[in-house]
Amino acid sequence: MAMAKEKEEDEETVHNSGKRLKCMRNQVQVRVQAEDDAVEEDSELPLKPGLFFYPTTPTSFVVSDALEPDYPIIYVNKVFEISTGYRADEALGRNCRFLQYRDPRAQRRHPLVDPVVVSEIRRCLEEGIEFQGELLNFRKDGTPLVNRLRLAPIHDDDGTVTHIIGIQLFSEANIDLNRVSYPVFRETCNQDYDTSGKYSPKSGQSLYTQQHQEMCGILQLSDEVLAHNILSRLTPRDVASIGSVCRRIRQLTKNEHVRKMVCQNAWGKEVTGTLELMTKKLGWGRLTRELTTLEAVCWRKLTVGGAVEPSRCNFSACAAGNRLVLFGGEGVDMQPMDDTFVLNLDAKNPEWRRVSVKSSPPGRWGHTLSCLNGSWLVVFGGCGRQGLLNDVFVLDLDAQQPTWREVCGGTPPLPRSWHSSCTIEGSKLVVSGGCTDAGVLLSDTYLLDLTTDNPTWREIPTSWAPPSRLGHSLSVYGRTKILMFGGLAKSGHLRLRSGEAYTIDLEDEQPQWRQLEYSAFTGSASQNAVVPPPRLDHVAVSMPCGRIIIFGGSIAGLHSPSQLFLLDPSEDKPSWRILNVPGQPPKFAWGHSTCVVGGTRVLVLGGHTGEEWILNELHELCLASRQDCDM
C-alpha cells in the first residue's frame, strides 16, 4: 500500500542518515509497525467528523525514551521534519515540548498553549496511560500549528513503560497571534472537522477565543481558594500576566497579602523577610516588578563618616541586616589585623565605629566573613602570623557584650586562604577551594551546620569537581543551589583566569557539581555573543528572584570591571545579558569588599589609590527604588 511504501522509504532514509540516537528495542519497532497497520485499517472506514486520524494527511511519528529523565526523543520520521521545519538532529535528545515555543530560543511555552492540555499530557505520562488530544504547536519559523496528538506507552515484559510513541497530525491553526487573547483557564471546546480531515473552527469562532455562555469554571471558586491554592503557587511574573484575564482576577493579584504569598513561595521566607522593609513604601507589587524588570537599577555614590584605622587591604566584609561589618585585613608590612568595625546604614549620619569585643580571633587576611540569621558573623580561614588558618569563629553582633568564640567539631578543611564561602538556609556555612601554604590550589567543598549543638565539618563527596581554584565566587539561588563562577583555576600546568560556571544542589541525596552550559546569545539573533571575560576576586550578587549579577574583579586586557552581567542559572539554557546601568559606577570592585544589604542594595566599599583603601567612599548599586525617595 502507498502508506506502507512511504513508511519503508522513511525508515530507510532514517537508517542511512543516522537519525537514531540509540538502537530501539524490537518491541518498539513492532509497535510502530502495528500503528502503521492501524492507520491503514482506518483508511478503509468512511470519513466522519470526530475520527481522530485520517490517512489523507501525512502522519508524523516520534519515539521518546521513557527510562531517561524528561522523555528525550530518540527517533523522528521524515514527516515530522517536513511538518515542523526541525531537522532530526535538532530534535533528538530533547523533550517534545520545544514545539510549544514559538521561537527556538524561547525559555517558556507560548501563552496561547492550553495549560489544561499540557497538564493532562503530564498526567497520562506519569500514569503510563494513552493520551489523545489537541495542542497548539509552532513550526521552526513560528507558524502556528494544530497538533492532533496521540501518545501510546510501550511496556516491557515486566510492565515497565520503556518508550512513548507519539503520532501527530499537523494542520495550520487559523488564528491571529497578534489579536487573540489568552483564556488562561477555559472549558474544552467541541471542535468540528470537515471531510478532508482538516480542523475547522465553528462558524464565527477562532481556535482559542470561542465564547462560552456559561461562566468559566475557575471563577466559580471563592477568592480565598483562588488566592491561596492557585495564585500563590505562580511566579511573580506569571501573577502579573494573569491579572489581565478579568477584573476580579486583577483585584486579587493587586492584593498585598497575595503578592507577599507569591514572593514567599517563589523566593523563600528568608528572602521575603529580608525584603520586608523595602515594601513599606514600594509595596510588593512594585518591588517584584522592579526586581524582575530591573527598570529602577542605578548607581549612586555616598560618603560616610568615621574611620577604619589603621588602614588596611585584603579585609573581608559582609552585611548583617542594615549594618556593614568589616573584620581583619592586611596592614602595614603584611601585619594581620584582628579588629571588627561596623557601619550602621540606618543611622542619620552613618559612620564607621570599632566594635568593642571581649576577645578576638587571631589576626588574618585573605579570609571570609559571612552572616547567619541576620546578626551572627562567621570567620573562616585566611593567613595569620603563623601561616594559613582553618579555624572558625562566631560573633553575635546583637549581644550586650559581643564576643568571638571558636567553633570546633570534626575534621576541619585544610588550612587555606583566598577561598570562597556562602551560607544556605540561614545557618549552614559552605566553603570551597582556595590555596594551601605550599601554593597548591584546592577543589574540595565542605559544609558546617551551625544550628546543631555540636557543629561538625562535613566534606561533600562528589564524583567530579570543578578544576582547583582560588578567588572564585559562590552564589546561592533556589535556597540550596550554589553557582560557582570564575577564579584563578588550574588548567594543565598553567593557572588561568576562568569564565566558567558550575552548579550544585546540596538538597540532592548525592550532590554533584556540573558545568553550566549556557547560551552565548542574549535572545536576539542580531546581538553579538555575550560572555563575561574571565576574572577572579570579583563580585557575585544573588538577587531575590534567583538571578546572579557578576561584575568587577581582576580582568585581563582592556575590559571594564564596572560592566555588569546578568544570568538566570535556573533556565534550561541560561544566557548572559549585559546590564547598562545609569549613574557613577566604582572604578574597582572586589568580592571581599562588597556587601548586599536588604536584598536590593549592593554596597562597594570605597576604592583604592593603588597603595591604600578609602573606606569612607561607598558606591551603591540600587536594584529597586530607594526607600527614602519620593514616591
Side-chain angles (χ1 to χ4, degrees):
M1 290 185 288
M3 282 288 295
K5 183 177 181 180
E6 180 182 285
K7 178 62 183 172
E8 290 172 1
E9 292 174 354
D10 284 346
E11 292 188 342
E12 182 179 356
T13 303
V14 170
H15 177 74
N16 293 336
S17 60
K19 292 177 182 174
R20 293 181 186 269
L21 188 64
K22 58 174 74 173
C23 293
M24 296 171 56
R25 302 183 184 184
N26 292 335
Q27 60 177 4
V28 178
Q29 294 175 329
V30 170
R31 183 60 181 266
V32 171
Q33 185 60 49
E35 300 291 353
D36 288 344
D37 295 341
V39 173
E40 291 174 5
E41 290 176 5
D42 284 346
S43 67
E44 300 174 1
L45 298 176
L47 300 180
K48 300 178 182 179
L51 285 178
F52 197 78
F53 295 103
Y54 291 101
T56 56
T57 304
T59 304
S60 165
F61 284 88
V62 175
V63 179
S64 297
D65 190 340
L67 300 179
E68 293 292 333
D70 210 27
Y71 300 91
I73 297 172
I74 61 174
Y75 168 80
V76 298
N77 69 349
K78 192 67 176 177
V79 177
F80 175 91
E81 294 181 287
I82 296 173
S83 300
T84 66
Y86 287 94
R87 301 190 310 272
D89 62 287
E90 295 177 302
L92 297 181
R94 303 174 67 181
N95 184 287
C96 214
R97 74 171 67 90
F98 72 88
L99 294 176
Q100 301 167 24
Y101 303 165
R102 191 181 183 193
D103 186 280
R105 287 183 295 275
Q107 298 297 330
R108 58 177 63 190
R109 70 173 64 94
H110 193 278
L112 289 180
V113 177
D114 193 340
V116 177
V117 178
V118 174
S119 298
E120 182 64 12
I121 292 175
R122 186 182 299 113
R123 183 187 68 83
C124 291
L125 291 176
E126 291 175 351
E127 296 179 7
I129 59 178
E130 189 166 293
F131 167 84
Q132 289 191 19
E134 291 189 356
L135 190 65
L136 178 65
N137 281 179
F138 296 89
R139 284 180 51 86
K140 188 177 180 179
D141 62 5
T143 303
L145 300 171
V146 175
N147 180 2
R148 298 164 63 191
L149 174 65
R150 176 182 176 187
L151 297 176
I154 302 297
H155 301 81
D156 62 10
D157 295 336
D158 299 327
T160 302
V161 177
T162 59
H163 297 84
I164 302 293
I165 294 181
I167 307 171
Q168 303 163 316
L169 283 180
F170 292 104
S171 59
E172 287 195 9
N174 186 23
I175 57 174
D176 185 354
L177 296 176
N178 297 320
R179 297 182 60 186
V180 175
S181 61
Y182 173 46
V184 178
F185 295 93
R186 65 180 183 84
E187 295 185 3
T188 303
C189 303
N190 294 322
Q191 294 131 358
D192 292 339
Y193 299 88
D194 59 23
T195 56
S196 67
K198 295 182 179 180
Y199 175 82
S200 175
K202 289 184 178 181
S203 176
Q205 297 176 333
S206 68
L207 178 59
Y208 294 95
T209 57
Q210 297 188 31
Q211 301 297 316
H212 302 284
Q213 298 298 323
E214 63 273 23
M215 180 184 293
C216 181
I218 191 174
L219 297 181
Q220 298 180 26
L221 301 174
S222 67
D223 286 355
E224 184 178 3
V225 172
L226 282 173
H228 288 269
N229 294 3
I230 298 177
L231 297 179
S232 67
R233 301 176 186 273
L234 303 177
T235 65
R237 178 181 296 178
D238 291 338
V239 167
S241 300
I242 202 176
S244 62
V245 172
C246 66
R247 291 181 181 178
R248 182 184 170 200
I249 297 292
R250 178 170 176 77
Q251 289 301 317
L252 284 175
T253 59
K254 290 174 65 177
N255 183 281
E256 282 293 287
H257 296 292
V258 172
R259 285 172 166 172
K260 182 179 179 180
M261 282 193 301
V262 170
C263 294
Q264 188 166 288
N265 289 338
W267 301 341
K269 291 183 178 181
E270 183 182 356
V271 172
T272 49
T274 303
L275 294 173
E276 196 82 53
L277 289 176
M278 285 297 298
T279 63
K280 290 183 178 179
K281 270 196 170 184
L282 294 182
W284 285 106
R286 178 171 173 181
L287 179 61
T288 54
R289 188 189 75 231
E290 291 186 356
L291 290 177
T292 301
T293 64
L294 295 177
E295 60 192 58
V297 64
C298 66
W299 283 106
R300 74 182 184 108
K301 187 177 179 180
L302 61 154
T303 302
V304 298
V308 176
E309 295 179 343
S311 62
R312 67 199 65 203
C313 64
N314 296 332
F315 52 84
S316 190
C318 73
N322 279 350
R323 296 167 291 184
L324 304 187
V325 184
L326 181 152
F327 175 78
E330 180 184 353
V332 179
D333 297 328
M334 299 181 68
Q335 179 77 13
M337 314 297 288
D338 66 351
D339 42 7
T340 307
F341 290 83
V342 170
L343 177 68
N344 187 0
L345 297 174
D346 283 338
K348 185 176 181 180
N349 298 303
E351 61 179 28
W352 287 104
R353 67 175 183 85
R354 186 193 300 267
V355 179
S356 176
V357 296
K358 193 172 182 180
S359 63
S360 290
R364 66 194 66 202
W365 47 272
H367 54 287
T368 54
L369 179 69
S370 308
C371 181
L372 300 175
N373 295 327
S375 64
W376 287 81
L377 303 172
V378 184
V379 165
F380 172 76
C383 183
R385 294 178 185 273
Q386 306 301 321
L388 296 187
L389 303 165
N390 63 346
D391 50 3
V392 178
F393 283 84
V394 176
L395 172 76
D396 183 1
L397 199 60
D398 290 338
Q400 272 191 331
Q401 178 58 63
T403 303
W404 286 102
R405 63 180 182 86
E406 186 171 7
V407 176
C408 301
T411 303
L414 290 173
R416 66 192 67 201
S417 62
W418 303 120
H419 52 278
S420 186
S421 70
C422 64
T423 58
I424 62 172
E425 299 181 316
S427 60
K428 298 174 183 177
L429 178 70
V430 179
V431 173
S432 165
C435 182
T436 68
D437 230 343
V440 178
L441 299 184
L442 300 170
S443 62
D444 52 2
T445 305
Y446 278 82
L447 184 143
L448 180 66
D449 188 349
L450 292 164
T451 58
T452 60
D453 294 334
N454 298 302
T456 302
W457 281 106
R458 177 172 65 88
E459 184 173 8
I460 300 174
T462 57
S463 58
W464 176 85
S468 307
R469 66 192 60 217
L470 60 79
H472 53 293
S473 61
L474 296 181
S475 306
V476 180
Y477 68 100
R479 199 170 63 83
T480 59
K481 298 176 181 177
I482 297 176
L483 175 81
M484 175 191 292
F485 177 79
L488 185 68
K490 184 176 180 181
S491 178
H493 298 293
L494 302 176
R495 296 182 178 184
L496 304 174
R497 291 179 178 88
S498 171
E500 297 171 339
Y502 306 87
T503 62
I504 190 172
D505 189 349
L506 298 183
E507 198 171 41
D508 291 343
E509 290 186 12
Q510 296 180 338
Q512 296 295 332
W513 283 105
R514 67 177 183 88
Q515 185 169 353
L516 196 65
E517 297 180 2
Y518 44 75
S519 169
F521 297 91
T522 59
S524 174
S526 62
Q527 292 181 328
N528 294 325
V530 176
V531 178
R535 64 191 68 205
L536 72 150
D537 296 335
H538 52 278
V539 179
V541 179
S542 296
M543 295 184 60
C545 50
R547 293 180 290 179
I548 310 293
I549 294 177
I550 300 288
F551 66 96
S554 171
I555 312 170
L558 301 177
H559 298 286
S560 170
S562 61
Q563 182 68 70
L564 273 68
F565 295 87
L566 180 71
L567 179 75
D568 187 347
S570 63
E571 293 178 344
D572 292 336
K573 278 288 186 179
S575 59
W576 289 101
R577 182 161 67 94
I578 290 179
L579 283 181
N580 295 313
V581 180
Q584 182 181 354
K587 292 183 179 179
F588 305 95
W590 310 96
H592 58 83
S593 64
T594 302
C595 312
V596 181
V597 177
T600 63
R601 305 174 66 189
V602 182
L603 289 157
V604 180
L605 300 184
H608 59 80
T609 62
E611 296 182 359
E612 64 177 339
W613 284 74
I614 306 171
L615 295 177
N616 294 99
E617 292 183 359
L618 280 70
H619 287 80
E620 178 180 351
L621 177 65
C622 306
L623 301 179
S625 300
R626 288 170 47 197
Q627 189 176 356
D628 56 350
C629 68
D630 295 328
M631 298 302 291

